[in-house]
Amino acid sequence: MEGNLPQQQCHPVTTAIEKDDLVIPIIDFGPFLHGTPADKHEVAMSVVHAFKTSGFLYLSNHGVPPSVVSHVFGTSARFFARPQDQKDSLCWTTPQANRGYVKTGQEKLSTVEDVDDDVAAAAAESRSIPDLKETMEIGREGVEGLPNRWPEHLDAAGKEFKAVMLSFFEMCKALHTEVMRAIALGMHLPEHYFDPYVDAGDNNLRLLHYPAVDKRVFRHNPLQVRAGEHSDYGSITLLFQDGRGGLQVRSPRGTFVDATPIADTVVVNAGDLLARWSNDTIKSTRHRVVEPPKVVDEDEKDADEDGSGVYPDRYSIAYFCNPNNDQMIEAIPGTYGEDIRPLKYPGITAGDYLVQRLTATY
Ligand SMILES: O=C(O)CCC(=O)C(=O)O
Ligand SMILES: [Fe+2]
């Protein structure tokens, strides 16, 4: 009897989100990091399946300890609590550097590329409304001429900030490498195929703070969001969210579906450069951050009904991973060919691609 069942192809995964044809799994990454070759293979197949279908997944047992993540969140919150003039003194300057503090309204996330007319129209309209967020961008340390904008000269907490973020940057870099190994195996390539493409760590750690906001702001302006609809640019993004909620992912039906926070997981999504690299076999899915979903909590309900109340601050941490700046990105072997699909894009260096995209955004 059992012998007639199709063989299990994928590592057993739990479905975290399933709505409007959008399915986002939770994948236990432990067996990839510590398991047998067969375990690794199963996880790798699940990872690639998720990237090819929704473009999003949650990873559990990803190797970044929860205590570290919570310390980074605390350090981030203390940074954003600094006086505005201190933060302004560390401001972001150019797309080439992409380092420093970005105050509310500076980044225009909603872009109008590659989407149908309705989406483009909505994006264009919402472009005039600034995102309700501030960010701190941290790039690879030690790149000549592109210093990070550390607050280390300000005080002891500024020095601590630098140490905490540098160490977290390296942990996330290691996780990026492992996820790329899973992608390699899942695409029938040697496990270390992407290592030379990502070993420089030309990544970007973005701390995000969405300030507390009066609920009426959203009620009075239906187009107001915390972060406008967009896709990410690079290979993959590792997204750590607090428990507030508000992240939404665009479904194949065009609706936005809540990507509910799940404790101790990291949300991983594919970016535009990985989609291009995979000859569009992997999806870079659009997403946004809106007001937190309605809670059924009685106190909240009362506050809602008389029109008062605020949504509390939300913090998140996005680690945008990229191939090495100088790497030529050409379609991954096995993603094109006469009998499969035509090659869609010419080669481009990762650095040129990202600067082009960032230039259009700021
Ligand atoms: O804050 C979040 O949850 C998402 C942020 C995001 O998508 C981005 O900064 O690209
Ligand atoms: Fe994003």
Side-chain angles (χ1 to χ4, degrees), residues 109-341:
L109 257 187
S110 304
T111 54
V112 291
E113 286 172 55
D114 304 330
V115 285
D116 57 54
D117 281 353
D118 284 355
V119 177
E125 210 174 339
S126 65
R127 248 180 117 101
S128 53
I129 303 166
D131 288 353
L132 296 176
K133 69 167 202 273
E134 53 179 345
T135 74
M136 179 63 173
E137 314 284 333
I138 298 163
R140 172 155 75 92
E141 179 74 345
V143 180
E144 220 191 305
L146 303 177
N148 274 313
R149 313 286 324 263
W150 300 117
E152 59 184 328
H153 55 284
L154 295 176
D155 47 34
K159 286 194 186 63
E160 148 103 1
F161 177 90
K162 176 177 175 180
V164 168
M165 296 308 161
L166 281 177
S167 152
F168 187 64
F169 196 101
E170 289 308 308
M171 284 188 196
C172 291
K173 179 183 164 188
L175 180 54
H176 175 220
T177 306
E178 293 294 349
V179 175
M180 293 309 294
R181 288 178 184 160
I183 295 172
L185 276 183
M187 294 182 85
H188 312 292
L189 296 166
E191 182 178 346
H192 295 276
Y193 178 83
F194 292 116
D195 285 12
Y197 284 91
V198 300
D199 56 0
D202 281 324
N203 306 325
N204 178 43
L205 171 59
R206 169 183 290 177
L207 310 176
L208 295 112
H209 173 219
Y210 303 90
V213 51
D214 192 309
K215 293 181 179 178
R216 286 170 297 191
V217 168
F218 296 101
R219 202 163 303 155
H220 293 165
N221 190 347
L223 292 176
Q224 182 67 63
V225 289
R226 275 181 151 170
E229 176 189 344
H230 66 283
S231 53
D232 295 343
Y233 307 151
S235 55
I236 58 168
T237 303
L238 309 176
L239 179 72
F240 301 84
Q241 24 172 2
D242 68 11
R244 301 291 185 206
L247 175 66
Q248 293 185 326
V249 178
R250 195 168 195 263
S251 76
R253 294 199 203 166
T255 56
F256 278 96
V257 175
D258 290 326
T260 310
I262 301 174
D264 300 338
T265 64
V266 54
V267 173
V268 186
N269 63 290
D272 297 339
L273 190 49
L274 181 57
R276 177 178 171 136
W277 204 357
S278 75
N279 205 29
D280 284 341
T281 55
I282 282 175
K283 289 189 180 144
S284 171
T285 304
R286 297 172 75 80
H287 51 282
R288 67 181 188 183
V289 181
V290 297
E291 61 191 295
K294 294 251 174 306
V295 274
V296 272
D297 182 274
E298 281 309 305
D299 296 344
E300 286 272 345
K301 216 172 104 219
D302 290 349
D304 255 7
E305 273 162 10
D306 68 11
S308 66
V310 290
Y311 290 118
D313 301 70
R314 175 175 186 268
Y315 295 87
S316 64
I317 301 165
Y319 187 77
F320 299 106
C321 307
N322 303 306
N324 302 351
N325 264 325
D326 58 2
Q327 272 291 358
M328 180 58 79
I329 300 303
E330 290 173 308
I332 297 167
T335 60
Y336 63 96
E338 269 173 30
D339 46 343
I340 321 173
R341 51 162 61 201

